Amino acid sequence: MRAGEATAAVRGMMSERSVNVSRIGSPWAKSLFDESSGLHLWLPLETHLQDAGGVGRLLVHEWLGPAVRDMVAGPFAATPLPGTAPAEEAERFVAWLGCLHDVGKLTPAFAIKNRALAGVMDDAGLRVDRRLMPEDSRNLRHGVAGQLITERWLIERHGWSKEQARVVGGIVGGHHGIPPSLTEVQMAAARPDLMGRGTWEDTRRELLAQVSRLHDVDRYLERWGTLTIPQHVQVLMSALVIVADWIASNTDFFPLFPVGTTPTVATDRTVRGWSQVALPPPWVPTAAHLPVADLLQSRFELPEGSAPRPCQRATVETAQAMGLPGLLVLEDAMGSGKTEAALLAAEVLAERSGASGVFFALPTMATADATFGRVMRWLDRIAAGPGGATVSLAHGRAALNVGYRDLRRAGRTIDAVTQGDLNIGERLLIHDELPSVYAHVWLSGRKKGPLSDFVVGTIDQVLLAALRSPHLALRHLGLARKVVILDEVHASSAYMNVFLRRALQWLGAYGVPTILLSATLPSALRHSLVEAYLKGVRAAAPADRLARLSAAQRRRRTAPPEEAGVGDSSDPAYPVLTMATTHGLESRYLANALPSSRVGWELWPDDGDLVGELRGCLRGGGCVLIVCNTVRRAQAAYRGLRAEFGGDVHLMHSRFIIHDRLRNDAWLRSNFGPPNDAERPRRSIVVATQVAEQSLDIDFDLLITDLAPMDLLLQRVGRLHRHARPPRPATVGTPRCVVRHVPDVTDPVPQTEKGASAIYGDYLLLRAAAVLAEVAQTGGWTELPTQIASLVAAGYDDDTVTPPTWAAALGQARQEDQRRRQMTESGAKTWLLSAPNASRDLVGWLDSAPRASDDAQGRARVREGEDGIDVLLVEGSTELRVLSWIDQVGGEVVPTDVLPDLRLARAVAMSAVALPASFTRGARADAVLTELEQLMIPAWQRSPLLAGQLILPLIKDGVATLAGRRLVYDQTTGLEEVSLD
């Protein structure tokens, strides 16, 4: 149907059904032409604003949870209104914001987007300049217009100050994810042709007054113009408006009407729509005062009679008594039970703080997947309640996790989709009967997933809270509702730590109880992370907020357990639990959970004779882990050992396709995890990269590792003699760690291995080498875990005595390290969110943020040097097939002219792998991307699993040519570059 015909048809239908369309009832918010029925559908702006306001109020009342509800109510509690509860007033305020959010659509700039409905508005008295074209709407975003309209109305009609009006205007203007800048608002004011004058202004004032009356807001407007709303509270309100708008814009829940109908919105429309969304009530924890032993036994599958370990007892007892808001830093040996301690403490802190969920962040997707199962078993024991608990796995490949996929299925069912009186298809809805833990249909995807009650994901998901990016307020709302656990915090690079410190500032501002876990945390890093959190608390916690903390809560202090001592946070004892609150820092020194063991260290100046070493020490059997710093070195070591030891040698690194990595990880855990019914291999050699370094409960008899910074070396040692087992072979019966490429202390020009230097820099490598040299000079033994803290301190403390022969080399390396660190941190600040500032509004909060962003772009910006190129491997050239060894579908043809079915799409997605670094740098990266983009298949772009992905066909025997270079993929060695000769 042509534009002119559409306009005539719409006007005809309007005149048939409503002879006199009111001026305030004629503006439209949404429109749809249903091709199958030939009907025009619309939603009046007035109706949409009422929908969003009602949903906003319900979000606060029924979904938000006590912690964030109290925070949003805080400005109203500071000067309470007699006869009105602060929480109820906050509900009205958020509802009012929802009613205002789309007022910018009552402008010619928006109206002209649909000429037919603009004609109806014209008939009702809202004249649209006929010279305006739909493309002119791009010159005035309706969010910017809405901010300007709202601010003018509050200033001119209600006497608000410019500063206070801008607080509300910034929330209205930012409801599409990025608050407008001052410049954008000023430019909008200079376009009266797009804003509309005269009748347009009168109609907007009438509409604003009408929707404000809806929630009995009139009597509050004068008072609200005097309130102080801190910036972090504005962020949460902004997020609630975004969520309310999204729900009210979902035509499954809030259907459109046939054009010609001017509906009168009743309360039951909001109630019906809200009930169909079916957001569950907040999770309610009930663990705050249970004895630690009872908590442990009821939450985890432990042998009968198991007692809490020292770190578990201390962490839970401290969580039960500490002042809030607060941060806990638990430093204890690998395998000491830190994960269980953190989950138990999170329950306690959630109940005490009013949090309604937990966010558990880990270093990598692989460790997040591994921890997801453990968290799910814990959740099954704590999630009983009226609505159960919603869960999300938050990383780029969550859709490929089988356990998470099952949870998503549990929360879905098919029902009819209606638009007005029309049945136009099917939709996914919540089951009537749900398991206690499930993935909610609506709370899915990269933007909404973090709003689930429980989230397991990579640390990127927390770092992104410090990145200026669209819809950042939603991420903040998701974190603000929870207790946050950050595991292996030592693993973040200097670049990532810039974002981590800023994210911790915002967590402190929100009062989010936070738990940091590490076995090898340098004291300087611990100090900087603690200080960042407390800065945030201080920035958002004026004296009146601290005064509202109960005196009893402030007085409650952590009593040291019998096996521990108490001191200030600078003491180098280990294990240690540090508590940081507004009252200061306290440390509890814990007893070791694990028996102390003597680890022998042997230093090699080069690669050494791996074959000869292993031939001797494995003559009676044994299991060896060899950790290399680069994939290239691991592949080379694997080949050299495979020639001697055959099938006893296995290779693990990050350059396997997802399918093979999952297989490798499962084999690794099954054979080298905690003692179980599976028979441990008599002789086995695992060659790995950093994928085996942390967050894996695996156990080997002998460790051979490349030189790395001291904390990471100790992480690797954590895989050595980890569990009590029957007598190990005599030749590997004592824990021993061989470190390769350790420079000689007598050499005034020490040389580090090139690959390690590129990753870690020479300074930390030489510091670790100096520590190991001193260990070797004093007998070659260390007591672990007792000496972990002192070894890490020696590896990072600039004042530690080092070999005199290295003085010049270390000084130069230190200067280079500082230069690189400064450059790194400066680069991170390009995208860094500003620190929380209670006195600021949101206008310009995300200035310079991109208008569109996805998770891959975000991860690249918070992980320096990790913006590599992933490809999907397929077989063939003209006819593409699934890789032949993929389970069940291997070798099947994948159509390229139509969308592949879900089974094939998932198999292709499971074939993702990262290209070698040599393909992702400089001009070669440009050539690689150009070539790969030419291979993109249009039909695949409609698949959620394949859209935007690059494919690399393997033409024959696993070989591909890319940018003039040859790549080969093998199931046993992974992807690597080979010579063209």
Side-chain angles (χ1 to χ4, degrees):
M1 183 179 296
R2 291 192 295 272
E5 295 173 344
T7 302
V10 169
R11 284 182 169 178
M13 285 183 280
M14 293 292 279
S15 62
E16 286 173 14
R17 302 199 186 190
S18 178
V19 175
N20 182 25
V21 177
S22 70
R23 192 179 66 200
I24 200 173
S26 67
W28 63 279
K30 301 185 183 300
S31 66
L32 172 71
F33 177 69
D34 180 48
E35 295 282 354
S36 60
S37 66
L39 287 180
H40 295 268
L41 305 174
W42 82 313
L43 189 66
L45 177 59
E46 178 186 12
T47 305
H48 178 57
L49 296 182
Q50 293 171 346
D51 290 344
V55 172
R57 189 164 188 170
L58 288 166
L59 282 168
V60 178
H61 185 75
E62 297 190 12
W63 174 76
L64 205 50
V68 178
R69 188 184 301 122
D70 289 349
M71 206 178 317
V72 172
F76 308 95
T79 55
L81 193 67
T84 303
E88 191 270 341
E89 192 174 355
E91 289 176 20
R92 290 182 189 275
F93 190 81
V94 173
W96 178 57
L97 293 173
C99 288
L100 300 178
H101 82 282
D102 258 354
V103 69
K105 288 183 174 180
L106 214 173
T107 58
F110 183 84
I112 200 65
K113 287 185 174 185
N114 186 316
R115 279 202 172 278
L117 292 176
V120 173
M121 295 172 65
D122 194 89
D123 291 344
L126 291 167
R127 305 296 181 190
V128 177
D129 189 334
R130 298 185 183 279
R131 292 171 295 180
L132 289 178
M133 302 297 291
E135 51 267 27
D136 289 317
S137 63
R138 283 177 275 179
N139 297 319
L140 179 64
R141 294 188 296 123
H142 72 267
V144 181
Q147 177 171 334
L148 180 59
I149 292 164
T150 300
E151 290 180 12
R152 284 178 173 174
W153 181 67
L154 291 173
I155 294 168
E156 297 169 3
R157 290 289 171 140
H158 297 282
W160 286 32
S161 68
K162 290 181 180 179
E163 293 74 21
Q164 192 63 29
R166 188 169 294 159
V167 169
V168 173
I171 295 172
V172 170
H175 75 271
H176 277 293
I178 300 181
S181 66
L182 278 174
T183 302
E184 287 180 291
V185 177
Q186 290 165 355
M187 290 175 65
R191 292 299 305 266
D193 58 324
L194 297 176
M195 288 289 298
R197 290 176 290 190
T199 306
W200 289 91
E201 294 170 314
D202 294 340
T203 308
R204 289 194 291 258
R205 285 191 287 266
E206 185 181 347
L207 178 63
L208 288 169
Q210 179 165 309
V211 295
S212 294
R213 288 192 294 271
L214 188 66
H215 294 276
D216 194 21
V217 164
D218 285 9
R219 63 192 182 101
Y220 296 95
L221 281 177
E222 181 179 350
R223 160 182 162 78
W224 289 351
T226 65
L227 293 180
T228 297
I229 303 179
Q231 186 188 45
H232 63 283
V233 178
Q234 295 174 46
V235 174
L236 299 178
M237 290 176 171
S238 177
L240 289 167
V241 171
I242 292 171
V243 174
D245 180 30
W246 282 359
I247 291 175
S249 297
N250 188 312
T251 55
D252 288 349
F253 310 136
F254 292 87
L256 276 59
F257 300 91
V259 166
T261 308
T262 53
T264 300
V265 177
T267 305
D268 62 351
R269 174 177 164 91
T270 302
V271 172
R272 183 173 61 251
W274 176 258
S275 67
Q276 290 177 326
V277 183
L279 289 181
W283 167 68
V284 180
T286 56
H289 306 295
L290 293 176
V292 182
D294 293 349
L295 266 178
L296 188 69
Q297 287 289 346
S298 63
R299 298 319 193 235
F300 303 105
E301 297 174 0
L302 300 172
E304 193 164 340
S306 296
R309 289 180 170 180
C311 74
Q312 294 164 348
R313 182 176 295 280
T315 304
V316 174
E317 289 175 349
T318 302
Q320 289 172 332
M322 67 188 287
L324 294 174
L327 173 79
L328 292 176
V329 186
L330 176 57
E331 301 169 66
D332 203 347
M334 298 69 74
S336 60
K338 295 190 295 296
T339 297
E340 290 77 11
L343 291 174
L344 295 179
E347 276 193 75
V348 171
L349 291 171
E351 183 174 1
R352 294 190 57 222
S353 69
S356 52
V358 176
F359 195 117
F360 202 124
L362 297 110
T364 65
M365 286 188 274
T367 53
D369 281 338
T371 301
F372 184 68
R374 297 173 69 181
V375 172
M376 286 304 305
R377 289 189 289 275
W378 167 71
L379 275 179
D380 284 339
R381 292 169 169 80
I382 70 165
T390 58
V391 66
S392 177
L393 179 60
H395 62 65
R397 292 170 180 160
L400 301 178
N401 183 291
V402 176
Y404 181 53
R405 204 160 64 227
D406 290 343
L407 288 173
R408 294 176 70 182
R409 289 197 190 106
R412 295 171 181 245
T413 188
I414 300 294
D415 199 0
V417 177
T418 59
Q419 294 282 11
D421 299 327
L422 305 176
N423 185 318
I424 60 171
E426 295 180 329
R427 66 176 170 190
L428 293 169
L429 287 177
I430 302 297
H431 276 302
D432 292 333
E433 295 184 8
L434 286 164
S436 60
V437 182
Y438 62 98
H440 194 283
V441 177
W442 196 81
L443 296 173
S444 62
R446 61 185 177 87
K447 292 178 181 177
K448 295 182 291 186
L451 297 174
S452 298
D453 299 326
F454 295 87
V455 181
V456 178
T458 56
I459 195 169
D460 309 353
Q461 304 300 320
V462 175
L463 303 184
L464 287 169
L467 180 78
R468 293 199 306 272
S469 56
H471 296 103
L472 181 62
L474 290 179
R475 193 172 297 276
H476 280 223
L477 176 60
L479 291 171
R481 297 179 70 235
K482 299 177 177 65
V483 176
V484 172
I485 303 170
L486 303 176
D487 198 6
E488 310 286 8
V489 288
H490 63 273
S492 296
S493 68
Y495 181 92
M496 295 166 66
N497 281 332
V498 173
F499 291 98
L500 179 55
R501 288 192 294 270
R502 185 55 49 82
L504 285 169
Q505 281 185 261
W506 280 94
L507 291 179
Y510 294 124
V512 171
T514 303
I515 303 170
L516 310 183
L517 305 177
S518 177
T520 56
L521 187 64
S523 60
L525 178 56
R526 181 209 312 134
H527 176 77
S528 72
L529 299 181
V530 167
E531 182 56 28
Y533 180 87
L534 292 179
K535 274 185 181 179
V537 173
R538 290 191 290 267
D544 64 306
R545 175 175 165 185
L546 294 178
R548 290 198 304 275
L549 295 173
S550 70
Q553 183 189 64
R554 292 202 304 275
R555 284 196 300 271
R556 293 175 76 178
R557 279 291 168 268
T558 306
E562 294 180 2
E563 75 275 10
V566 174
D568 67 57
S569 63
S570 63
D571 292 342
Y574 187 88
V576 62
L577 175 68
T578 302
M579 176 187 72
T581 69
T582 53
H583 309 286
L585 272 64
E586 293 182 10
S587 295
R588 298 177 77 165
Y589 307 138
L590 314 175
N592 285 312
L594 305 174
S596 182
S597 63
R598 297 184 76 218
V599 175
W601 297 82
E602 184 177 331
L603 312 183
W604 291 359
D606 49 29
D607 280 344
D609 180 10
L610 279 178
V611 171
E613 174 72 17
L614 296 181
R615 189 186 291 130
C617 67
L618 295 183
R619 61 182 180 271
C623 300
V624 179
L625 175 63
I626 301 173
V627 181
C628 302
N629 287 330
T630 65
V631 174
R632 179 186 57 80
R633 284 178 55 76
Q635 289 169 330
Y638 169 81
R639 287 195 173 88
L641 293 168
R642 184 87 172 186
E644 173 73 18
F645 298 101
D648 290 340
V649 188
H650 302 269
L651 181 61
M652 309 278 172
H653 58 69
S654 59
R655 215 173 293 148
F656 284 96
I657 63 170
I658 298 173
H659 174 275
D660 294 346
R661 282 190 69 174
L662 293 175
R663 177 201 62 196
N664 292 343
D665 290 347
W667 177 85
L668 192 68
R669 291 193 298 268
S670 173
N671 285 279
F672 307 104
N676 52 32
D677 295 336
E679 185 176 350
R680 186 175 170 89
R682 178 184 175 276
R683 185 179 79 168
S684 187
I685 302 167
V686 174
V687 182
T689 57
Q690 293 89 335
V691 296
E693 187 173 88
Q694 57 200 6
S695 297
L696 283 175
D697 190 2
I698 50 177
D699 169 36
F700 288 86
D701 304 319
L702 171 67
L703 173 67
I704 300 175
T705 173
D706 288 351
L707 180 66
M710 199 65 220
D711 57 328
L712 303 183
L713 284 178
L714 291 169
Q715 285 287 335
R716 296 173 188 185
V717 170
R719 317 304 126 192
L720 185 60
H721 286 233
R722 188 180 178 99
H723 296 293
R725 296 190 180 278
R728 303 174 192 255
T731 50
V732 289
T734 302
R736 183 165 67 100
C737 176
V738 176
V739 186
R740 305 196 293 169
H741 281 279
V742 181
D744 189 335
V745 294
T746 63
D747 186 349
V749 188
Q751 299 295 315
T752 59
E753 193 273 320
K754 185 186 299 184
S757 177
I759 298 170
Y760 303 115
D762 284 344
Y763 182 63
L764 292 180
L765 293 175
L766 292 178
R767 290 218 56 83
V771 173
L772 294 175
E774 186 174 349
V775 168
Q777 290 171 5
T778 56
W781 295 90
T782 57
E783 285 285 334
L784 298 182
T786 310
Q787 288 182 264
I788 285 179
S790 59
L791 290 170
V792 172
Y796 279 85
D797 186 353
D798 295 333
D799 297 327
T800 302
V801 176
T802 54
T805 51
W806 285 5
L810 269 171
Q812 183 177 348
R814 181 182 179 186
Q815 289 180 352
E816 176 61 19
D817 181 71
Q818 290 174 337
R819 186 189 70 81
R820 288 176 57 176
R821 189 175 296 272
Q822 289 170 357
M823 288 182 61
T824 287
E825 294 182 352
S826 177
K829 290 174 183 176
T830 302
W831 300 102
L832 187 66
L833 182 69
S834 58
N837 184 335
S839 62
R840 285 197 57 186
D841 53 57
L842 296 185
V843 176
W845 186 53
L846 299 180
D847 278 3
S848 301
R851 289 297 175 197
S853 180
D854 59 26
D855 274 3
Q857 291 174 325
R859 286 195 302 273
R861 292 190 179 112
V862 298
R863 284 184 181 260
E864 181 192 39
E866 299 194 18
D867 50 345
I869 300 174
D870 286 359
V871 294
L872 304 178
L873 299 184
V874 292
E875 292 177 346
S877 54
T878 56
E879 186 177 66
L880 302 183
R881 296 179 178 272
V882 177
L883 297 179
S884 58
W885 61 90
I886 299 291
D887 299 337
Q888 299 178 343
V889 295
E892 286 196 30
V893 174
V894 187
T896 56
D897 55 341
V898 296
L899 182 69
D901 63 40
L902 184 60
R903 182 180 56 99
L904 291 175
R906 185 173 291 126
V908 174
M910 291 288 282
S911 302
V913 65
L915 291 177
S918 59
F919 285 77
T920 64
R921 298 190 187 118
R924 185 177 299 156
D926 294 336
V928 166
L929 285 172
T930 298
E931 189 171 329
L932 290 173
E933 285 169 354
Q934 292 173 353
L935 300 174
M936 292 186 74
I937 300 171
W940 291 11
Q941 304 314 304
R942 293 182 290 114
S943 166
L945 294 172
L946 304 180
Q949 301 296 310
L950 303 169
I951 66 166
L952 179 63
L954 303 177
I955 306 304
K956 184 181 179 183
D957 299 327
V959 176
T961 302
L962 181 61
R965 292 174 171 263
R966 180 175 293 169
L967 288 161
V968 63
Y969 186 86
D970 184 87
Q971 285 181 265
T972 59
T973 56
L975 186 69
E976 59 185 319
E977 182 181 351
V978 296
S979 172
L980 286 170
D981 297 337

